[in-house]
Amino acid sequence: SVSRASPNLTFVPACLPPDPMEVEELQQFVSNSKRLFVMTGAGISTESGIPDYRSEGVGLYARTDRRPVQHAEFVRSASARQRYWARNFVGWPQFSSHQPNKAHLVLRDWEKLGKLHWLVTQNVDALHTKAGSQRMTELHGCTHRVFCLSCGDLISRSELQEHFEDLNPTWKAEAFGVAPDGDVFLTDEQVHNFQVPGCLKCGGILKPDVTFFGDTVSQEKVSFVHQRLAESDSMLVAGSSMQV
């Protein structure tokens, strides 16, 4: 039993109706599990209106030739950071307003029932947190947090949005399309005059608390997740191609 949330099917790939026998097998698998370990990927958030990367026809890679920002480029290039933050600034109001769908709520309820031992998500959209999941690791971080690469100071993404607005009171841009991490599509001309603030404490580079492509997850976090998996008696993967 879960709260009802209207699905957004814009980025949900075409698929056949569920096979009743497969549904029964899944129910039996979950029922027999005592300490279930769940890993979720971008596909679990498509019904919340957030596209994934690889789904046929509707994923980011199928719709565009765009690729996510690389960690080294973000750290090295001021223009890359300007481009990233301008697009993120435009996309943030919509991205941050997305709500959990039925899948997120089911996993929350399994945790409340003592069925789910640990949840690991590759997603950075905070939808599991919004749903109320607590026994959880955000493997690749979360876009709702921002930190300084120099001093490590952590602020909320909504607080940074206010700083952007103060620095860019007359800047406006219309977005073309949306990406899984809240990024939107803007031209180089649109981002040319966008001002990016530094850390308020030390002036350092601000970066989302997210593992960008080309970066690595900390060994401490990986070890923690391996420990939770070792304690579990079964594993369920939801919404991930497991290519990452």
Side-chain angles (χ1 to χ4, degrees):
S1 173
V2 296
S3 311
R4 293 294 175 183
S6 300
N8 181 332
L9 304 182
T10 304
F11 299 113
V12 177
C15 58
L16 296 173
D19 183 317
M21 290 189 65
E22 292 182 350
V23 172
E24 188 174 336
E25 285 181 16
L26 176 59
Q27 289 175 325
Q28 188 172 3
F29 169 77
V30 175
S31 296
N32 291 337
S33 302
K34 300 291 187 253
R35 297 169 69 83
L36 180 63
F37 181 99
V38 178
M39 172 170 273
T40 67
I44 202 171
S45 295
T46 54
E47 286 192 23
S48 293
I50 301 175
D52 63 8
Y53 291 101
R54 295 178 172 84
S55 283
E56 186 175 344
V58 292
L60 179 72
Y61 296 166
R63 291 181 291 115
T64 76
D65 60 359
R66 293 287 298 279
R67 294 296 181 266
V69 64
Q70 295 289 315
H71 175 79
E73 182 187 16
F74 183 92
V75 173
R76 180 182 65 243
S77 168
S79 62
R81 293 193 295 273
Q82 181 190 45
R83 185 167 59 251
Y84 174 86
W85 281 122
R87 299 188 311 211
N88 191 271
F89 170 73
V90 175
W92 178 251
Q94 178 184 350
F95 186 77
S96 60
S97 70
H98 289 298
Q99 295 301 311
N101 62 54
K102 191 179 297 185
H104 299 97
L105 300 176
V106 165
L107 292 174
R108 174 205 63 192
D109 289 349
W110 287 357
E111 179 185 314
K112 288 182 177 179
L113 293 169
K115 175 68 64 175
L116 188 149
H117 177 58
W118 205 260
L119 169 66
V120 175
T121 183
Q122 300 177 56
N123 301 338
V124 297
D125 52 32
L127 293 186
H128 286 298
T129 299
K130 289 182 179 181
S133 290
Q134 295 182 2
R135 297 180 62 82
M136 175 186 67
T137 296
E138 294 170 321
L139 193 62
H140 296 150
C142 182
T143 56
H144 289 245
R145 301 184 298 268
V146 177
F147 77 105
C148 173
L149 289 174
S150 297
C151 73
D153 188 49
L154 195 69
I155 63 172
S156 71
R157 177 61 186 80
S158 56
E159 182 181 345
L160 181 59
Q161 190 76 356
E162 295 177 2
H163 296 328
F164 282 137
E165 291 169 353
D166 291 341
L167 276 179
N168 301 276
T170 62
W171 187 89
K172 286 185 173 57
E174 185 177 350
F176 303 97
V178 63
D181 58 0
D183 199 4
V184 297
F185 307 155
L186 299 176
T187 65
D188 289 341
E189 184 180 354
Q190 286 175 301
V191 307
H192 180 66
N193 294 317
F194 188 76
Q195 300 296 310
V196 179
C199 172
L200 291 179
K201 287 194 173 180
C202 75
I205 294 172
L206 294 176
K207 177 184 175 293
D209 190 13
V210 166
T211 302
F212 283 161
F213 280 73
D215 193 10
T216 55
V217 177
S218 73
Q219 187 57 52
E220 181 182 17
K221 185 181 287 189
V222 171
S223 297
F224 178 86
V225 168
H226 281 171
Q227 290 174 347
R228 302 292 81 75
L229 179 60
E231 296 163 355
S232 305
D233 64 0
S234 52
M235 179 176 179
L236 176 67
V237 178
S240 176
S241 64
M242 299 301 285
Q243 292 188 41
V244 175

